[in-house]
Amino acid sequence: MHQRLIASDPKNGVIASTTYTGSGGSTVTNLPGVAGLTLAADSSTLYAAVPNSHVIIAYSTTTYAETGRITLGDRIYPRDVVVAGGRLWFSYDDGGASGNFGSIDPASSAVTLHSFTGISPYYGAPLIAANPGAPNLIALSDGSGTSGSRVVVYDVSAGSEQKIVEKSIDGLSYLRDLALSADGSQVVVGGAGGALQLSSTDLSTVGSYLNTVGYAVDTAPDGRVAVATRTEIGTPDLYTYDAGSTTARQAFDMPGSTLFNHPGPDQVMVNGIVWQPNGPRLFVVTDNNGLIGFRALNEPVATTITLTTPTSAARAASLTIAGTITGSLPAGTALTVTRTDMESTSGKALADVTTDASGNFTVTDAPPAGGKVTYTVRYAGDATHLGATATATVTVSRATPALTLNRNGTVNAYGATVAMTAHLGSTYTNRTVEIWADPAGTDQGNKLLKKGVVDSSGNLTANLTLTRNTTVTAVFTGDARYAPLSVKSTVYTNVSVSTAVSGYYKTSSGYYYYRKTTNPVFTTTMTPNAGRKQKLIFEYYASGTWRAWKSYMLPLSSTGKSTYTLTGTHSTGVKYRVRAAYIAGTSGDSLNYTTYGAYRYFTFTN
């Protein structure tokens, strides 16, 4: 609330506060061994754990005057303190090897030394962590003076601890620092073996940051993580990470001191890093052979570009894209703009745009090509801001070309070869047409008959031999100014069908003559297909017209043959006729157009 950096000096028993820039401040003295500090939820009160006095003291963050103190008892040495669940929670030891934790009701100052709820005692004071963003959780772990790696997460919403999970973390020991993320979903812990990000629900590992000792860790309100180790001069020893990432965003090297008798590197102290709330700065406490220093590191601010575009636009007409970039950049910041379209597939640089004081900018363009046009706006970044990129796509109109295909709806003989001609009208650069043929049925796929540039009259012709009904498609794939288009023609195809007669004794005037004691045999030959049937239709002539007599659906053999013998008592002097037919949808399939064969005329005599 007051933008102050507050630190404790256990060796000299001092609390010191200063501004973020290091100017001015306040001190509180006579606090032997003062260690852990925390702020109340509203930042109005500072709580300090003073182990050698066995108390936790409250101070006003406005005046730094003492406003209260809670005495814990002669065997209680508080080492750290946090605020969660409406209470103060503190870790402590008994001045020896045993450690535990407790809580304080701020309203009554009542102290509760808590049980371990089923977990073993700590050796020394445990590490304890909380976060204002997750006010009902605390996390504890074995302390830095022990080889243990146990981490425990508690729900403290009810004013007492309810254990969520407890686990010893493989690969870590001698834990140095502990932090809880703002959303409460993760615990970050550092120690011998590195630094790990753990799920707060089951303490499974969700991220690994270092393969050396992690001396200090902290999490920012936006999920960023900072992890520190110790290295020689010239090698980074503090890293920052974006939320959810284990790839370092920034790496910082703590330089060595130039003061006499302090020639070594500055080393980040245990629990020695803290984020500025919602800000770019990371505050670091360093130690160089007893020379304590404070540093404020500026991590570049993340920037985000947002673009608002029309959903569609006319080709060659002016369009406007409104944009905003975050990060409090100065007015006049330059952003690059690239347009990618059908004519500039690798991108074409447009004029840079500049921001106003609020980060707003406008891109104006008249796209020469239609189709999907993508605008990419980039900010390169600088020493204090990360770069950013955003893209937006506009659908730009194209003219509809004239495209036709002949023979639609025509009925053709089986085996006929027809010329399929596509005609293409005016276009911009593309004069290529494709002609595809897709025969009826699922056993023959769509196939390309011809692809080529149309002639000077705009025509492209492909020959097609027909055995089935066929959908023929002419395709124009479009260009920068004319839209893609396809047109279809359905070309129908008859089957081949004929009927032969046998058993007659003569022919005359187109009739086959049979003795009335003879049974005529009719053999139909039809284009075969699995499961196909022919319809054999009989008629007789009476009162000056042909009348239906009988019909049969007869299966075809695999070679397309079907034989029928007309039995029974045959009447003499009656004229008959018969023909075979393929009826689409009735004869077992719909691959061809309904086809009737030629009539065969016959009669019976004595």
Side-chain angles (χ1 to χ4, degrees):
M1 182 172 67
H2 299 108
Q3 295 194 341
R4 293 291 188 271
L5 182 64
I6 308 169
S8 62
D9 177 356
K11 181 178 180 180
N12 296 303
V14 173
I15 295 174
S17 74
T18 183
T19 65
Y20 284 175
T21 59
S23 62
S26 303
T27 59
V28 181
T29 59
N30 299 317
L31 301 172
V34 61
L37 305 175
T38 195
L39 289 171
D42 62 1
S43 296
S44 64
T45 302
L46 172 70
Y47 297 99
V50 187
N52 295 347
S53 297
H54 313 289
V55 296
I56 292 176
I57 304 177
Y59 296 93
S60 164
T61 55
T62 303
T63 64
Y64 286 90
E66 182 177 325
T67 59
R69 67 173 55 202
I70 299 96
T71 300
L72 303 175
D74 292 344
R75 296 299 304 273
I76 304 299
Y77 293 78
R79 303 296 178 179
D80 203 357
V81 60
V82 298
V83 172
R87 300 174 72 88
L88 295 178
W89 297 82
F90 61 93
S91 62
Y92 69 93
D93 59 51
D94 61 1
S98 295
N100 203 331
F101 68 104
S103 66
I104 301 169
D105 182 351
S108 64
S109 297
V111 177
T112 303
L113 299 181
H114 288 259
S115 69
F116 288 99
T117 60
I119 68 172
S120 302
Y122 295 98
Y123 294 97
L127 304 180
I128 188 168
N131 195 306
N136 293 318
L137 293 178
I138 62 171
L140 291 98
S141 73
D142 289 322
S144 60
T146 71
S147 61
S149 63
R150 179 177 43 173
V151 175
V152 191
V153 180
Y154 291 100
D155 180 339
V156 295
S157 58
S160 61
E161 77 280 6
Q162 301 295 321
K163 185 173 68 173
I164 296 174
V165 62
E166 173 198 1
K167 185 178 181 181
S168 290
I169 309 303
D170 292 339
L172 290 181
S173 61
Y174 294 97
L175 305 182
R176 263 72 167 190
D177 202 2
L178 184 71
L180 187 66
S181 67
D183 63 2
S185 66
Q186 294 165 350
V187 178
V188 181
V189 60
L196 296 176
Q197 190 175 56
L198 311 172
S199 166
S200 62
T201 57
D202 60 7
L203 295 178
S204 60
T205 299
V206 295
S208 177
Y209 298 106
L210 296 175
N211 56 10
T212 183
V213 180
Y215 283 91
V217 298
D218 197 32
T219 60
D222 62 4
R224 287 173 294 165
V225 174
V227 176
T229 184
R230 293 179 177 177
T231 63
E232 295 300 317
I233 297 173
T235 303
D237 41 17
L238 193 154
Y239 300 86
T240 61
Y241 304 84
D242 284 325
S245 173
T246 56
T247 300
R249 173 182 177 181
Q250 284 282 101
F252 300 92
D253 175 35
M254 298 297 107
S257 175
T258 58
L259 296 179
F260 183 71
N261 291 332
H262 293 279
D266 288 351
Q267 304 283 16
V268 178
M269 295 188 73
V270 170
N271 192 31
I273 55 178
V274 62
W275 288 99
Q276 173 189 348
N278 295 315
R281 281 174 289 202
L282 187 65
F283 298 105
V284 185
V285 185
T286 60
D287 177 16
N288 186 340
N289 296 314
L291 179 65
I292 307 302
F294 294 86
R295 300 184 185 277
L297 306 177
N298 278 311
E299 187 188 43
V301 177
T303 59
T304 302
I305 299 174
T306 303
L307 302 176
T308 302
T309 65
T311 56
S312 60
R315 190 191 66 79
S318 179
L319 62 81
T320 299
I321 298 173
T324 302
I325 184 169
T326 63
S328 300
L329 293 165
T333 298
L335 309 176
T336 62
V337 183
T338 303
R339 181 186 65 224
T340 304
D341 56 30
M342 293 181 66
E343 291 188 323
S344 303
T345 55
S346 298
K348 178 179 176 59
L350 305 182
D352 289 357
V353 295
T354 57
T355 62
D356 64 16
S358 298
N360 300 316
F361 60 89
T362 300
V363 177
T364 302
D365 186 42
K372 298 294 184 182
V373 179
T374 299
Y375 292 89
T376 302
V377 180
R378 292 184 177 89
Y379 168 59
D382 58 23
T384 58
H385 296 85
L386 295 177
T389 300
T391 60
T393 299
V394 182
T395 300
V396 178
S397 64
R398 288 183 280 179
T400 300
L403 180 65
T404 60
L405 184 63
N406 68 338
R407 305 194 67 85
N408 183 41
T410 60
V411 180
N412 302 271
Y414 181 86
T417 298
V418 296
M420 301 301 303
T421 299
H423 176 77
L424 178 65
S426 298
T427 59
Y428 179 46
T429 57
N430 184 10
R431 300 296 294 164
T432 298
V433 171
E434 301 170 3
I435 300 177
W436 292 78
D438 187 10
T442 59
D443 57 331
Q444 298 183 30
N446 196 20
K447 63 180 180 179
L448 180 64
L449 294 181
K450 192 172 184 178
K451 177 180 179 179
V453 176
V454 297
D455 61 21
S456 59
S457 299
N459 297 324
L460 180 73
T461 298
N463 290 328
L464 173 63
T465 299
L466 297 169
T467 59
R468 297 182 180 183
N469 299 335
T470 302
T471 300
V472 184
T473 306
V475 178
F476 170 66
T477 57
D479 56 30
R481 298 186 182 181
Y482 284 82
L485 184 64
S486 62
V487 294
K488 298 180 183 295
S489 287
T490 300
V491 183
Y492 296 103
T493 308
N494 287 323
V495 298
S496 176
V497 55
S498 63
T499 302
V501 298
S502 60
Y504 56 91
Y505 70 90
K506 75 171 183 176
T507 61
S508 177
S509 301
Y511 276 81
Y512 294 92
Y513 283 81
Y514 288 90
R515 304 295 185 186
K516 68 177 183 178
T517 57
T518 301
N519 292 328
V521 178
F522 304 99
T523 301
T524 298
T525 302
M526 185 180 291
T527 304
N529 189 63
R532 181 169 283 183
K533 302 175 183 178
Q534 61 121 342
K535 185 174 185 179
L536 194 63
I537 304 167
F538 290 89
E539 297 176 345
Y540 67 96
Y541 191 80
S543 301
T545 188
W546 288 101
R547 301 175 184 274
W549 180 26
K550 61 179 70 178
S551 64
Y552 304 95
M553 294 299 299
L554 305 172
L556 298 174
S557 69
S558 60
T559 59
K561 299 289 187 180
S562 177
T563 300
Y564 176 77
T565 301
L566 181 62
T567 59
T569 301
H570 305 306
S571 300
T572 61
V574 180
K575 295 178 180 180
Y576 298 94
R577 65 181 183 181
V578 62
R579 65 174 175 177
Y582 165 84
I583 310 298
T586 301
S587 290
D589 58 63
S590 299
L591 301 181
N592 291 85
Y593 194 77
T594 296
T595 308
Y596 291 89
Y599 281 110
R600 295 291 184 258
Y601 295 85
F602 64 97
T603 188
F604 294 94
T605 65
N606 289 323

